[in-house]
C-alpha cells in the first residue's frame, strides 16, 4: 500500500479509527518554534481494547506526542485517533 500523509491545520483532529495494516508509523514533520518547542497540541491517542471512544473517560487510553525526528510504530489494528492541533 502507498503511504498516507495527513496535514493538520489549527483545530484539525482525526477521529478514532483503525488503519487495518500490519504496521503504522507516525512521525511529525512540523518544525520547532523559535524557542525549540513543537507545535501546540497534536499527538496520537491510543484507546484501550474494547473502549468506545465516543463514551470514553480521559483515562481510557494514552496519548503520545513524539518530538520531530522521532516517531511511533504500532500495530495498525489498534484503535487510535489524532489529537486536536
Amino acid at each position: 500500500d502507498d503511504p498516507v500523509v495527513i496535514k493538520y491545520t489549527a483545530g484539525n483532529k482525526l477521529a478514532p479509527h483503525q488503519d487495518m495494516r500490519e504496521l503504522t508509523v507516525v512521525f511529525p514533520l512540523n518544525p520547532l518554534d523559535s524557542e525549540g518547542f513543537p507545535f501546540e497540541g497534536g499527538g496520537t491517542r491510543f484507546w484501550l481494547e474494547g473502549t468506545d471512544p465516543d463514551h470514553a473517560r480521559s483515562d481510557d487510553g494514552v496519548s503520545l506526542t513524539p518530538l520531530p525526528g522521532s516517531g511511533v510504530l504500532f500495530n495498525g489494528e489498534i484503535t487510535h485517533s489524532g489529537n486536536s492541533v
Side-chain angles (χ1 to χ4, degrees):
D1 292 336
D2 292 331
V4 175
V5 176
I6 299 173
K7 180 180 178 182
Y8 290 91
T9 57
N12 283 143
K13 62 182 179 180
L14 189 60
H17 65 282
Q18 296 176 344
D19 295 333
M20 304 310 295
R21 299 172 187 262
E22 288 184 31
L23 290 175
T24 295
V25 64
V26 175
F27 54 95
L29 300 175
N30 300 60
L32 300 177
D33 67 15
S34 62
E35 297 179 12
F37 293 100
F39 56 93
E40 194 171 316
T44 302
R45 178 140 186 102
F46 295 93
W47 302 94
L48 297 176
E49 188 174 349
T51 299
D52 176 358
D54 292 330
H55 300 96
R57 301 178 319 219
S58 62
D59 60 351
D60 284 341
V62 63
S63 289
L64 299 176
T65 306
L67 292 173
S70 63
V72 179
L73 175 71
F74 58 95
N75 179 330
E77 296 180 4
I78 295 173
T79 301
H80 60 285
S81 59
N83 297 333
S84 182
V85 175

